[in-house]
Amino acid sequence: MPRDLDHPPRRFGTVTLLGAGPGDPELLTVKAVKALRRARLVLHDHLVGDEVLALLPPGCEKHYVGKESARHALPQREITALLVRLAHQGHDVLRLKGGDGYIFGRGGEEAEALAIAGVPFTVIPGLTAAQGAAAAAGIPLTHRDHGRALVLATGHGREGHPLDLDWSLLARPQQTSVIYMGVAHLPAICAGLVAHGLPAHTPAALVERATLPGQRCVDGTLATLPALAAEAGIQPPALIFVGEVVRLRSVLASAQRVAPAVR
């Protein structure tokens, strides 16, 4: 049966899931910058800074869909539905997230929904917040003598659910644990790690606003970090680092230009 040329097949738009990195625009990948410069319709999150958005071309249509603690511009299910709807309408959409969308950015959920809806998409990874914060603060994520494994975890539960971490995994020796979105639960996290086997003197740090001009780092131990963070007034976005690698910060800071410690 010949195709009806008066009614060609409907073209779906495409979605690009782009990780904008930890904040410093100079840490964007080359592929990310190219995608930003050709974008026409963008949905961006809270942690995407103005300097990154400034790379978008004039006339680009921008929609803020950011999520902050207890305050969401749109619930996640509505963001995902909006992506699918815009693509089905024929729009090419740039979905812009801080860090890497596949690491606690809910990019996997969005990609899954796009695949089910038949929407073609591409993924451009970004430097993760953990990588950016570690490098900027002088904390190696791995080290042959101090951190032979790396665990990334989220420090809060699903909405309406209590904190429920895999304590046995996070409390293993000879590893580095990086906990995202855990500032509000810092005392409980530190106490839980000690209760499940890590010594109270295990080095621990908080890095606030990683890679940005206002970055701050508070370092101490599992026993002292909650009080130090409260005294310094650390606020999200911040990452928690736990492990012997944190101890190397004092050594590396003498040679590397890193954010000064807050004590």
Side-chain angles (χ1 to χ4, degrees):
M1 183 175 182
R3 188 173 65 186
D4 187 348
L5 298 180
D6 292 330
H7 299 283
R10 184 179 181 183
R11 173 193 175 273
F12 283 175
T14 63
V15 174
T16 300
L17 303 171
L18 190 154
D24 182 350
E26 293 189 348
L27 295 177
L28 286 163
T29 66
V30 173
K31 182 173 283 191
V33 172
K34 290 179 178 179
L36 285 164
R37 287 177 173 167
R38 63 174 178 263
R40 293 294 178 266
L41 176 60
V42 173
L43 273 59
H44 65 94
D45 280 353
H46 171 62
L47 294 179
V48 177
D50 291 340
E51 288 184 288
V52 173
L53 295 176
L55 296 173
L56 295 168
C60 177
E61 186 177 339
K62 298 186 286 290
H63 297 273
Y64 174 70
V65 293
K67 297 187 291 295
E68 302 173 61
S69 180
R71 184 173 60 181
H72 296 179
L74 282 179
Q76 181 61 47
R77 63 181 180 278
E78 293 185 23
I79 296 173
T80 303
L82 178 59
L83 276 175
V84 171
R85 184 167 68 251
L86 289 171
H88 280 176
Q89 292 171 352
H91 298 287
D92 293 327
V93 184
L94 181 65
R95 177 69 173 105
L96 189 54
K97 297 171 174 287
D100 181 276
Y102 274 8
I103 298 181
F104 301 122
R106 304 188 75 168
E109 297 172 41
E110 294 176 6
E112 184 179 18
L114 293 170
I116 292 171
V119 175
F121 66 92
T122 59
V123 178
I124 300 177
L127 191 70
T128 70
Q131 289 173 300
I139 302 172
L141 288 174
T142 64
H143 188 284
R144 188 170 59 177
D145 297 327
H146 306 294
R148 299 184 182 183
L150 172 63
V151 175
L152 307 180
T154 177
H156 73 85
R158 289 177 175 267
E159 291 83 0
H161 291 75
L163 185 65
D164 183 22
L165 302 183
D166 187 341
W167 297 110
S168 61
L169 173 65
L170 294 174
R172 290 176 180 171
Q174 286 289 309
Q175 77 175 17
T176 306
S177 295
V178 184
I179 302 174
Y180 287 62
M181 300 169 284
V183 174
H185 298 292
L186 180 62
I189 289 170
C190 290
L193 292 173
V194 173
H196 286 79
L198 282 183
H201 61 261
T202 300
L206 264 175
V207 182
E208 176 191 71
R209 294 180 56 79
T211 77
L212 296 172
Q215 174 180 305
R216 297 192 296 163
C217 182
V218 177
D219 53 286
T221 66
L222 290 176
T224 64
L225 189 62
L228 291 171
E231 182 180 352
I234 297 295
Q235 298 292 325
L239 293 175
I240 304 168
F241 291 81
V242 179
E244 291 297 323
V245 292
V246 174
R247 199 184 306 278
L248 295 173
R249 174 177 154 79
S250 62
V251 178
L252 300 181
S254 63
Q256 179 186 348
R257 294 183 60 188
V258 300
V262 178
R263 297 190 184 278

